[in-house]
Amino acid sequence: MQRLELAARVYDLFVGVCPVVLPVTLADTDRAKAILTRTPGISARNAIHAGVMLSHGITAIATFDAGFDRVDGVTRLALT
């Protein structure tokens, strides 16, 4: 299976599990900026995700990415 084909399959599976995609607003990016400035070593991508999560009252994320362990107010549900 080629990489693009695999990516399409993963996307389809994800949409089946999580059919609601939250928008990214200016308030979310402001929150992400604050997370970036107070959280050493976090990536901009994780800060955006965390900003959107916290704006919507979402406090847990299931992920392999340990970067979320650094974010105040977010609990990472570690995948193994």
Side-chain angles (χ1 to χ4, degrees):
M1 178 179 310
Q2 293 185 12
R3 189 174 175 107
L4 181 58
E5 190 177 305
L6 178 59
R9 287 183 63 194
V10 168
Y11 176 84
D12 291 342
L13 289 169
F14 176 78
V15 171
V17 172
C18 185
V20 176
V21 177
L22 300 172
V24 178
T25 66
L26 182 59
D28 299 329
T29 58
D30 287 345
R31 183 170 267 173
K33 178 184 171 189
I35 292 168
L36 276 170
T37 60
R38 71 172 185 259
T39 311
I42 190 170
S43 70
R45 177 186 166 278
N46 285 359
I48 291 288
H49 278 73
V52 172
M53 288 172 58
L54 294 171
S55 290
H56 290 274
I58 300 167
T59 59
I61 184 169
T63 181
F64 293 104
D65 193 334
F68 287 97
D69 292 338
R70 298 182 181 105
V71 181
D72 291 335
V74 172
T75 300
R76 180 173 71 100
L77 307 175
L79 300 175
T80 57

